Amino acid sequence: MVVTLEDVARHAKVSKAAASVVLSGKISNIGVSEATRQRIQKAAADLRYHPNAMARGLNRVRLDTLGVSFGPMTPENVLSDSYSFAVLKGILNVALGAGYNVTHFNKPWRDTRQSAAGFRDQGLDGFLIVAPDPQSDIAAGLTELGIPIVVISSASDEHRAPSVDVDNVMGVRLALEHLLELGHRRIAHLTFHNQQFDMRTRMEGFRAVMAEAGIGTPPEYVPKCWGCDVERAFYLQTRSVLSLPEPPTAILAGSDWIALRIIEAASDLGVRVPKQLSVVGFDDTPDAALSEPPLTTIRQPLIAMGQEAARMLIALVEGEHVENATRWFEPSLIVRGSTAPPL
Amino acid sequence: MVVTLEDVARHAKVSKAAASVVLSGKISNIGVSEATRQRIQKAAADLRYHPNAMARGLNRVRLDTLGVSFGPMTPENVLSDSYSFAVLKGILNVALGAGYNVTHFNKPWRDTRQSAAGFRDQGLDGFLIVAPDPQSDIAAGLTELGIPIVVISSASDEHRAPSVDVDNVMGVRLALEHLLELGHRRIAHLTFHNQQFDMRTRMEGFRAVMAEAGIGTPPEYVPKCWGCDVERAFYLQTRSVLSLPEPPTAILAGSDWIALRIIEAASDLGVRVPKQLSVVGFDDTPDAALSEPPLTTIRQPLIAMGQEAARMLIALVEGEHVENATRWFEPSLIVRGSTAPPL
DNA sequence: TTGAAAGCGCTAACAA
DNA sequence: TTGTTAGCGCTTTCAA
């Protein structure tokens, strides 16, 4: 029923070893004459032989399969995560094109350095870690085990791994310059106050650029909401900044998803966007163009980033040297309908 | 370095067999006292044991990994394929949520029944086949090998497998009724003339519904373009129908992708959509809303279809009975800006 | 240049 | 209730 190497070998009247060497196309110290090579290949073709991936993997042989693990994207919110899907497009585009399979590795996201071995035991050749949870040192763990990884959207040195990221500060600068040019001075920043590297960098960038512009950042313009219900968080924050004695005329959101929540909240509160309130997102996920009004945002070249990350990982897996550093991608400003001069 | 079952067994002073049974949580005819069970579990935890997936797979054990294979989507066009990505969202949503990994299986799409064994030898538990190439009888091959599969968007009986699909004829009917109501009578249908099941069904539906409405379908209104360059095909077809003595006032496209090509072509040819020409798509991929003008189209509940397919496959893998039949999903008409009454 | 044999880490049938 | 043993299909070292 199942054709094995042994069948091929018997058919070609050679040993399993010879058949293995020929069929796996390895350069080995064991020589095989052209004639037997032909015999073996013919036998394999005749019998429709397919090597068993598990058996190969057991010998720690490359399986041509890359793992991809998405950060704090729980199964529940995978539906709303156009960000990850854009990156995934890039990844699949180059990985499948290069002859690799790619598997979505389903692991609880609390996973840390300790569970890196669990990743290894999947037998995959390498991993792409997209926007890892800041609490997780899984990346460092994988690196220590000698498993090739590339980190996407979290250019922290602590991962000890090559990574790909967008220049977050430049993105924030682009957004704020746009707002400043429109005449805004009272600008708030609504974001997740977790330690996710990109989010934190954007927040720091926000403070720095505002300071440069000679405008301070009052703490209530960057409200926190620790431990509050994620679904309601940005509704609450929007309401809170808007009811300040000196409410902001514009809000820079930490991501498109957040920006969309803000626009919804504003609409609920009877505040018109962009007339009474300008909103700028970050990411330019496909959803951004579909909102009402369409979102002005900072575009990350997500597909290109996914492609590059996959290329880097493949190079790593194939034994090439890859600089343990971050490849930075330039963001750009996409002006759509959610920004206007202040009243 | 690598902790194996043997290490755990030694540590807990039991046999590998006992350890295996306890750790894999199987109900087996081999009994284990509560005390040793505890010892084993403690040893595993202490040593941070992780079972090796390859070794398990070699014994034909379920690996909790589903394969997904996209139809005629070559690596090059994965970038433009929002259709497959919408389905993928649904698949990942339920599969990851149910604790399965999912791997994108990279195989040349000419694959036929003969290469089904190659799929099997990946050691995956089952496959989701999305929009298989009509030439390929891979689905039937997999079924013959006893590998669970679910086919998406190709409800042909020949697959001999459960499947999930949209009611294509109903979709076409919805589209044509809309056009008819607007007052159109000269309606063309531009599509791929391959044997892909859904495409063929839509074309047959088109002819049938037009006939019902008492309007014939002249052959030049459903032009073919065998073997011509895919990139140019719909530009050429659009130009050809538009230069007919009696040009159509509306075109039903076989898919959104085609509709978008038609709109581009019309724009190149100086024909205004929807003023001079109405265009209706099929699928409602995310791109549809972004075109200029936004596309009127038939929505398929792609995410729900992906979800249902994954649910069916998981049931199959877990040994439940699943009817070898198609689950039909209802399409709906989404009216946007690419349709208007004829001049 | 070829063949025999020893594992890779696990599961499951069989003895004890 | 426990332990022993024989593979699963492949790669690779070592001897012939």
Side-chain angles (χ1 to χ4, degrees):
Chain A
M1 183 66 202
V2 177
V3 179
T4 72
L5 223 213
E6 183 154 21
D7 298 321
V8 176
R10 196 173 334 106
H11 219 75
K13 301 189 197 315
V14 297
S15 70
K16 285 202 303 179
S20 170
V21 167
V22 168
L23 294 176
S24 63
K26 279 265 176 62
I27 351 90
S28 100
N29 45 357
I30 157 177
V32 174
S33 70
E34 190 51 32
T36 51
R37 153 172 262 100
Q38 302 263 335
R39 268 220 318 292
I40 293 169
Q41 256 149 1
K42 178 157 190 327
D46 288 352
L47 298 176
R48 304 199 186 299
Y49 167 75
H50 291 275
N52 179 306
M54 302 289 116
R56 310 191 79 202
L58 202 45
N59 294 301
R60 304 243 165 67
V61 165
R62 280 202 350 235
L63 284 177
D64 299 333
T65 301
L66 269 22
V68 27
S69 218
F70 287 111
M73 175 175 75
T74 57
E76 290 74 37
N77 74 20
V78 64
L79 283 184
S80 65
D81 196 346
S82 14
Y83 177 93
S84 304
F85 269 83
V87 173
L88 182 59
K89 269 194 188 184
I91 292 172
L92 290 181
N93 173 247
V94 348
L96 296 183
Y100 283 80
N101 298 332
V102 357
T103 120
H104 296 268
F105 194 43
N106 165 57
K107 274 279 159 179
W109 263 98
R110 288 299 105 75
D111 274 5
T112 58
R113 170 184 263 100
Q114 297 166 12
S115 50
F119 280 65
R120 175 199 48 208
D121 290 330
Q122 279 299 113
L124 307 183
D125 301 333
F127 284 90
L128 290 155
I129 313 281
V130 185
D133 192 297
Q135 266 75 268
S136 156
D137 48 1
I138 183 73
L142 256 6
T143 303
E144 280 162 17
L145 288 178
I147 298 173
I149 66 169
V150 171
V151 175
I152 301 173
S153 291
S154 177
S156 160
D157 286 341
E158 291 167 27
H159 301 315
R160 311 179 174 292
S163 65
V164 148
D165 207 344
V166 72
D167 185 337
N168 287 294
V169 176
M170 177 175 168
V172 168
R173 185 180 305 276
L174 253 22
L176 291 180
E177 279 169 1
H178 170 61
L179 256 13
L180 259 12
E181 258 168 39
L182 286 173
H184 293 277
R185 287 298 172 271
R186 301 208 304 273
I187 308 176
H189 183 48
L190 264 46
T191 187
F192 287 110
H193 281 250
N194 57 25
Q195 290 304 95
Q196 210 278 328
F197 186 82
D198 281 29
M199 288 298 181
R200 202 176 54 200
T201 310
R202 288 172 202 172
M203 184 160 59
E204 287 162 6
F206 175 81
R207 293 218 168 85
V209 175
M210 290 300 277
E212 268 177 41
I215 307 176
T217 305
E220 59 274 23
Y221 270 27
V222 188
K224 283 196 193 186
C225 183
W226 282 106
C228 67
D229 174 17
V230 173
E231 285 305 315
R232 301 263 303 157
F234 294 103
Y235 173 79
L236 296 175
Q237 293 192 21
T238 304
R239 198 177 57 182
S240 105
V241 297
L242 254 24
S243 55
L244 252 20
E246 287 225 300
T249 58
I251 300 181
L252 172 62
S255 74
D256 281 358
W257 187 85
I258 295 174
L260 265 20
R261 298 294 84 70
I262 294 172
I263 290 180
E264 282 170 17
S267 149
D268 277 8
L269 296 166
V271 174
R272 315 271 302 272
V273 175
K275 261 250 161 64
Q276 298 163 275
L277 178 72
S278 288
V279 177
V280 182
F282 204 115
D283 291 342
D284 196 30
T285 57
D287 300 339
L290 299 178
S291 70
E292 190 41 47
L295 193 62
T296 294
T297 191
I298 300 300
R299 170 174 296 168
Q300 293 195 50
L302 295 172
I303 293 180
M305 289 164 64
Q307 289 177 313
E308 178 64 10
R311 262 183 234 115
M312 288 165 73
L313 183 58
I314 289 173
L316 230 32
V317 164
E318 297 184 349
E320 290 168 37
H321 174 74
V322 172
E323 193 106 24
N324 183 356
T326 300
R327 307 258 169 118
W328 296 103
F329 283 74
E330 283 202 7
S332 51
L333 172 71
I334 307 295
V335 178
R336 286 195 274 248
S338 65
T339 47
L343 280 182
Chain B
M1 185 65 203
V2 177
V3 180
T4 72
L5 222 213
E6 185 155 21
D7 297 321
V8 175
R10 198 174 329 110
H11 220 75
K13 303 190 194 317
V14 298
S15 69
K16 288 201 302 179
S20 171
V21 167
V22 169
L23 296 175
S24 63
K26 280 264 176 60
I27 350 89
S28 102
N29 47 354
I30 158 175
V32 175
S33 69
E34 191 50 31
T36 51
R37 154 174 262 100
Q38 303 263 333
R39 269 220 317 292
I40 292 169
Q41 256 149 2
K42 178 159 188 327
D46 288 352
L47 298 176
R48 305 198 185 299
Y49 168 76
H50 291 275
N52 179 305
M54 303 290 115
R56 310 190 80 200
L58 202 44
N59 294 303
R60 304 246 167 66
V61 164
R62 276 196 1 228
L63 284 177
D64 299 332
T65 302
L66 269 21
V68 25
S69 219
F70 286 111
M73 177 175 74
T74 57
E76 290 74 39
N77 76 20
V78 64
L79 284 183
S80 64
D81 196 346
S82 15
Y83 177 92
S84 304
F85 269 82
V87 174
L88 182 59
K89 270 195 188 186
I91 292 172
L92 290 182
N93 174 247
V94 347
L96 296 183
Y100 284 80
N101 298 332
V102 355
T103 121
H104 296 268
F105 194 43
N106 166 56
K107 274 280 161 176
W109 264 97
R110 291 299 105 76
D111 276 3
T112 58
R113 170 183 263 100
Q114 297 166 11
S115 50
F119 279 64
R120 176 197 49 205
D121 289 332
Q122 278 299 113
L124 307 184
D125 301 333
F127 285 89
L128 290 155
I129 312 282
V130 185
D133 191 297
Q135 267 75 270
S136 156
D137 48 3
I138 183 73
L142 256 6
T143 301
E144 282 163 15
L145 289 177
I147 297 173
I149 65 171
V150 172
V151 174
I152 301 173
S153 291
S154 178
S156 161
D157 285 340
E158 292 168 25
H159 302 315
R160 310 178 176 293
S163 65
V164 148
D165 207 343
V166 72
D167 185 337
N168 287 294
V169 175
M170 177 175 168
V172 167
R173 185 179 306 277
L174 253 22
L176 291 179
E177 278 170 1
H178 170 61
L179 256 14
L180 258 12
E181 258 168 39
L182 286 173
H184 293 277
R185 287 298 172 271
R186 301 206 305 271
I187 307 176
H189 183 46
L190 264 45
T191 188
F192 286 110
H193 280 251
N194 56 25
Q195 291 302 97
Q196 210 280 326
F197 186 83
D198 282 28
M199 289 298 182
R200 200 177 55 198
T201 310
R202 289 173 200 171
M203 184 159 60
E204 287 162 4
F206 175 82
R207 292 217 169 86
V209 176
M210 289 300 278
E212 269 176 40
I215 308 176
T217 305
E220 59 276 22
Y221 270 25
V222 188
K224 283 196 194 186
C225 183
W226 281 106
C228 67
D229 175 17
V230 173
E231 285 306 315
R232 303 262 304 155
F234 294 103
Y235 173 81
L236 296 174
Q237 293 192 22
T238 304
R239 197 178 58 182
S240 105
V241 295
L242 253 25
S243 55
L244 251 22
E246 287 224 302
T249 58
I251 301 180
L252 171 62
S255 74
D256 281 359
W257 188 85
I258 295 173
L260 265 22
R261 298 294 84 70
I262 295 172
I263 291 180
E264 282 169 18
S267 149
D268 276 9
L269 297 166
V271 174
R272 315 272 303 272
V273 175
K275 264 248 158 67
Q276 297 163 278
L277 178 71
S278 287
V279 177
V280 181
F282 205 115
D283 289 343
D284 195 30
T285 59
D287 300 341
L290 299 178
S291 70
E292 190 41 49
L295 192 64
T296 293
T297 189
I298 300 300
R299 169 174 296 169
Q300 294 196 49
L302 296 173
I303 293 180
M305 288 163 66
Q307 290 177 313
E308 177 64 10
R311 259 183 236 116
M312 288 164 74
L313 183 58
I314 289 173
L316 230 32
V317 164
E318 297 183 348
E320 290 167 38
H321 175 75
V322 173
E323 193 106 25
N324 183 355
T326 300
R327 307 259 169 115
W328 296 102
F329 282 74
E330 282 201 7
S332 51
L333 172 71
I334 307 294
V335 178
R336 285 196 275 249
S338 65
T339 46
L343 280 183

